Each structure stands twice: as structure tokens, then as C-alpha cells.
Amino acid sequence: MYHKKSLLQYFQMEQNSKSNRLHALDGLRGIAILMVFLSHINATYIDRSSLWGSYIFNSGVLGVSFLFILSGFLMAYLYPQPKSGFAFIQKRYTRIFPLFLTLCSTIFALRFIPENHWYFSLGILIIFAIIAHLIWVHGIQRFVKNKFTKILFFAFITFQIVVGIYYLWVMHHPAVYYYQQMPLTTRFLTDWFVNATLTLPIGKYVTPLDPVYWSLAAEVLFYLLYPFICAPIIAYMSPKKRISKIILLVCLLPLFVGLAILAQHVLNLSLLRFQLFYYFVTGMTLGYLYRKYPNALLKIGKVFTGKMSYLTIVLFFGCILFAQLLETAFAGQIIWVQAFLALPFTFLLAIALINKTALAELFRSKILVFIGTISYSIYLSHMFILDLAIDITRQPHSALTTTLYILATLAITISISSILYFLLEKPYFIRKQIEKKVKLASYVQNPYVPMMVGGIGLGFLIVTFMVYQSNINFFTLNEPYKNIITSSAGENQLISLQQHSAVTMLLTAKYNNFGVLSLNLIHKTIPKKKFIQQRIEFRIKEKGADQWLSTSRYTISSKSETLPVSYGFPLIPNSIGKTYVVSLKQEVASSSEYVLLDAKDNTIKGVFFVDKKMLIKDPQKLFAFIENKLTTVIDNPEAQEVVQLSLPFILFTLYLLITNKHLFVNKKYHL
């Protein structure tokens, strides 16, 4: 029946059939996905350093921020208190993973076919999507009973856990050395398993198959936390005074900033950008308020009546410009800036929910609602299509060709995404019941929430201690080095591997069991140059030796890729007092990517693994070891900053614990 109507007409008809659907949210999602799409356009003519170039083509993170706010809002609005946490997560997985696994499998399969044309790659994508549709829709969903779908869900969760454990195991043998020595096929399979299960943040050695997958990992983590942590906290805070809710909201801002700083030192958790989790928080806050005070937004709407209504459009696009200026002016405090912007961005969403404003009318336009409806398909497929377009066009070089290039790639992306939506997204919405606002007269409180929140605060402090006492694990010792660069670049604090054929370091081991060197390598890109992969070679040998102990290579396979901090090699048991030569160099002279070595004092560190048996046998050495660990953390300025950022939240948890005795387990509080 649908073939008689255009896709656009069909989507508009579908939207109108769901009276409960907030159309403006789809439009905002459409704007957000366009911001993400434009930020990944790669054209020589585009100058992202200019104000308007940055405004149009460098707002991808801002677009993702809007998507996070929308997720938080919809969860708190539609699922204020899930009856079953596992059923809630199963729904979210059913929504996300069929399409995601299809894209992962397509990109993975094309790795084994290095020479292929663009139409071949698109054909593989469509074939994989059709196969996934047949398996999922006409196989599992149609013939498998509900209890078996639950078994499949738990099987996939188990698979995620197993892959996560495997990835952590790889990291500790030691990671860099072991992973680089894997057979190519084993490495490719490891890459697929880690990407497909979204366990990328627990390691630094597997490259994302697509650079946008970081945000999907963050989204899935939010879904995992929502029914077990977020929803109970919302229910517990519901009867509290307004000032208590505001204080909690304020305390969470520095906590997420501290978590983002802390994550830079834990595995690859910085990939999740924890400062952006504050957008989930503000979105949930708005969702809660929209349920409890649905008429409160009308008061905001009274300000924007008549011609003032058009001011809402100016506010929206002006806020994006303000965010760009703020990030440029305070580039050194980007984590704080990104977290703070959650507040004005959430206010913009509140304005969009007011039906009579010009901004809401803009977001309810057919084209934006259409793009917003297929936004998930666009998000997962646009980089795949843009990479193919670069191979075909070799990058446009003028205003006209760049404009045509953007329009053509956008049209192709929307077309492919529409097909993916009908094959792998639409069946989910057909089978599940239409989401309705849950009619809850009350939130049921859990009296153990204060203890849970207190546990979060205590856990934060414990993790802070564990992170700043070692780069690898607790039973290691770090030795910072100064003035160890022996090549001609030795006096520079930031050494470009592009300018020097090789950077050589000479360092002496202070302990035995030398196994890792900690380096800060900064990835840079040559402006307006087509992306060409770069390879970094790391070598180490004992001074005076003819042969290198270890040689490892690290590939920069995307513009957004960050290099690992820890560079491992086979453990050297009797290293104490010996001097070692370390060499770093770039191997691809024609690459668009290059690397800077941060050679400032104490930035380069040797990591030595402690003999646990020795510590147990010698109490004096054990005491000295623990004292060294405590002193390392206490004297670390960044550790002090992270603890200070968490103090407001910890003090608030103490308040919740003190006042918890006045609550009753079975008491309900009306909205």
C-alpha cells in the first residue's frame, strides 16, 4: 500500500497517526543529525578555522549533545519507573543492535576485500541489511516465542561480558605488545567482537570501525544505568523540596567534570566523554518536570507570543553560535564548557515543546520530521557513505563543487538510510505497542537509594586513588624521566615526528621488571589534505645491544583516532640500573596525519611491575610500597582537583543518608 505514496508522505502520515508523539522532538533530532553529518564532510574548500566554517561544519559534538538530551527526556517522560529493568534494557537493545550489527558486519567484511568499487560496497551493505531483516523479522521475531527472545537477549549480554573480559585480558599481557603480535585475522576478529559489543571504552588498542560509535557506547551505558540508578533516584527525589533537587542538579555538574578528567587515565573511558552525561541528567530533569508540571511550559510560551515567537529561532541558532565561541575562547577548559552548555541546550528543548512557538513550528516541518525519524540510520551509515564519496570525488576544491558534493552525499545518505529504516528499524516500531505516557499517580520510593548514592560517591574516591597511584595497575611503580631525548629535537617540549626522522630517548631503569613506557603522543592532521593513514614505530633495546628487544607499530586509521598512552614490550626481569634506548618514528611520509611527542619533564614515565611475593615476604618493603602509593596520590595536583570536584556530591549524599531515617519503605508520594 505504501508504494503509492512518497516516502515523505508516508512518514508524515505515520507521524499524524501517533497523536501522542511529540513531533517537535523528531524535528530537533533531524537538526542534530544534520549537524553531525556536516561535521564529517571532508572537502578541501571548507575552512573550519573560520567562525562560520566552524559554525556549520564543526558542530558535531553539539549535535550529539542534543541527541543525549532527547534520550534523557524521553526516558524520564515515557518510562518514569520501569517495572522490570531487564525488560527495559531488552527493549533498548532490540531497538539499537540489529541495525548496528549490520553496519559493523558490513564494514568488517569489506576489510577482507581491499580493492572494490563504491557500488560494490553499497551492494554489500544492502545485502547484509536484507539478510538481517529476514533473520530478525521473518525468523526470530515471527517464529521464536517470547521466552526464547529473552534467552537470546541474555546470551548477547553474556557475549558482551565475555568479550569485555577477553579485551581486558589482552590488555594485561601487556596489551600493546600482545595485541600487535596477534595474527592479522585474529586481530580483525578481535576488532569486530569489540566493536559489535560496544566494549571499545575498556581498551585503547582496538580501532573503532566507525568513529561515531563512541556516542552509541555512551547511549547504551545510559540505558543500562537508567532503570537501576537514574529512575530510583528520580523517584526518591520526587517528594523532596525544590531546593534539594536544584542542589543535586548543581552538584552533579562538577562530579561529571571530575569523572571526565578521571576517565582520561582509565582504560579508554575518555571515549565516552562523561561531561556529556550531564545532558542525560538535564534531559531527565526536563522529562520529569514535563510529566509533573505539563502546564508550566505555557508560562514560558507567554513570553514568546506574536512576533516574539520568532525570537525562539534566533535563540536556538544563536545558542549554537554562542557554544562555538565559548569553546574557542575557553579551549583549555573544554570539559567544563561542554558540561555547562547542557543547561541552555535543555532550555531550548523546553521551548521546542511549546507548540505555538516559531521554533516548534520549524521542528514540526515535514522534512525535519522525516530526517529525524530515520536519524539513527543516518547516524550509523553517514560516515560509511562519506568515505565512499571521498574515494570517488577525491575531494571537491571549489564552492560550487563542494555545495554539490554536500547535497549529493546528503541525498544518497537519506536514501540509503530510508532503506535501512524500513528493513531494520520500522519492524521494531510495528511490533511494539505505541508508546503512551504512563499514567502513574505516584512514584514508589526505594529507601536504599541514599546508600546507593553514597556508594557511588565512595566508589568515586576509591577509583580516584586507584587511578592516580599507577597507570597500569596497583602493583606497578612509575618512574618519571627528565631530559632523556638524545636526538636533535631534545630541547623542544613538543617534538614533531614529521620534522625529525626519528626521536631517540635514553633512559635508565630504577627497578626490575620493566615492561611499559608511558608516552603522551598527540595526533595532528595537516589541514586541507586527503586522509592517508599513518604508522608509528616504537622500538626499545638495551644500550650497546645490536638487536632491538621489541618493535611495535600503531596505525592511525581515522582523523579522530587517539594513540595509546602505554607502550608495552616483553617484560625485562633484571632491568634495574640498566640503560635503554627507545626510538619513535613515523613510517608514512605522504600521510595527512602526524604526531607530536610531549617531552615535558615527568611526562614520559617508565612502568615497572612489582613482585607480589617479595612484598609479602618483606613487611618493610610492603609498608614502603603502600606509603609510596598514598604519597603519589596525595601529592598529585590533578587528583586533588578531582576529589574537590566530587566533594559537593559526596556532601549531598551525606545529607540524604542523614534524612533517610524519616522515610518509610512502602510510602508513596503523589506527583
Side-chain angles (χ1 to χ4, degrees), residues 17 112 150 205 208 248 255 401 446 478 495 592 601 609 641:
S17 68
F112 294 93
K150 290 182 179 179
Y205 313 108
L248 175 59
L255 180 71
T401 56
N446 184 341
N478 295 341
I495 302 172
S592 60
D601 289 347
F609 293 80
E641 179 188 5

Side-chain angles (χ1 to χ4, degrees), residues 420-437:
L420 295 175
Y421 174 85
F422 275 102
L423 288 175
L424 295 170
E425 289 194 80
K426 181 61 180 174
Y428 169 81
F429 294 109
I430 289 177
R431 289 186 62 84
K432 81 184 193 73
Q433 295 179 350
I434 297 175
E435 302 286 11
K436 295 182 179 179
K437 183 178 177 181

Side-chain angles (χ1 to χ4, degrees), residues 176-245:
V176 180
Y177 171 74
Y178 187 82
Y179 180 74
Q180 293 297 326
Q181 303 306 318
M182 282 181 175
L184 188 61
T185 302
T186 305
R187 286 178 58 187
F188 278 3
L189 286 171
T190 298
D191 291 349
W192 186 86
F193 287 144
V194 171
N195 276 273
T197 55
L198 289 175
T199 51
L200 281 162
I202 62 174
K204 294 186 176 182
Y205 313 108
V206 169
T207 303
L209 294 176
D210 191 310
V212 303
Y213 289 173
W214 71 267
S215 61
L216 193 58
E219 187 91 16
V220 169
L221 178 58
F222 168 63
Y223 291 150
L224 291 171
L225 295 176
Y226 179 77
F228 302 110
I229 295 179
C230 302
I233 291 176
I234 293 173
Y236 187 85
M237 293 300 298
S238 178
K240 296 287 184 181
K241 294 181 180 179
R242 184 179 302 173
I243 186 64
S244 296
K245 300 171 186 175

Side-chain angles (χ1 to χ4, degrees), residues 360-515:
E361 289 294 331
L362 172 65
F363 288 162
R364 286 198 298 270
S365 65
K366 294 181 180 180
I367 185 63
L368 286 181
V369 169
F370 167 63
I371 293 173
T373 303
I374 63 171
S375 59
Y376 182 55
S377 291
I378 293 176
Y379 191 78
L380 290 184
S381 66
H382 76 278
M383 282 298 296
F384 178 84
I385 295 168
L386 288 175
D387 288 342
L388 295 180
I390 286 296
D391 291 336
I392 298 170
T393 62
R394 304 299 177 186
Q395 293 192 352
H397 297 276
S398 67
L400 177 60
T401 56
T402 299
T403 302
L404 294 175
Y405 168 75
I406 293 172
L407 294 175
T409 52
L410 179 59
I412 294 170
T413 300
I414 290 175
S415 300
I416 296 296
S417 299
S418 299
I419 296 172
L420 295 175
Y421 174 85
F422 275 102
L423 288 175
L424 295 170
E425 289 194 80
K426 181 61 180 174
Y428 169 81
F429 294 109
I430 289 177
R431 289 186 62 84
K432 81 184 193 73
Q433 295 179 350
I434 297 175
E435 302 286 11
K436 295 182 179 179
K437 183 178 177 181
V438 181
K439 296 181 179 179
L440 273 180
S442 61
Y443 282 112
V444 180
Q445 284 197 328
N446 184 341
Y448 298 105
V449 165
M451 287 181 280
M452 177 185 69
V453 176
I456 293 172
L458 179 61
F460 188 90
L461 293 178
I462 294 173
V463 171
T464 301
F465 169 76
M466 295 298 293
V467 166
Y468 288 101
Q469 53 76 35
S470 172
N471 284 1
I472 306 298
N473 61 46
F474 185 76
F475 291 100
T476 57
L477 293 170
N478 295 341
E479 176 63 19
Y481 291 105
K482 300 180 182 179
N483 303 319
I484 63 171
I485 308 297
T486 61
S487 55
S488 59
E491 296 182 357
N492 299 327
Q493 289 191 332
L494 288 177
I495 302 172
S496 172
L497 271 65
Q498 187 180 36
Q499 297 176 359
H500 302 274
S501 57
V503 176
T504 306
M505 293 168 269
L506 202 63
L507 51 92
T508 302
K510 188 177 180 180
Y511 308 98
N512 282 324
N513 298 318
F514 188 20

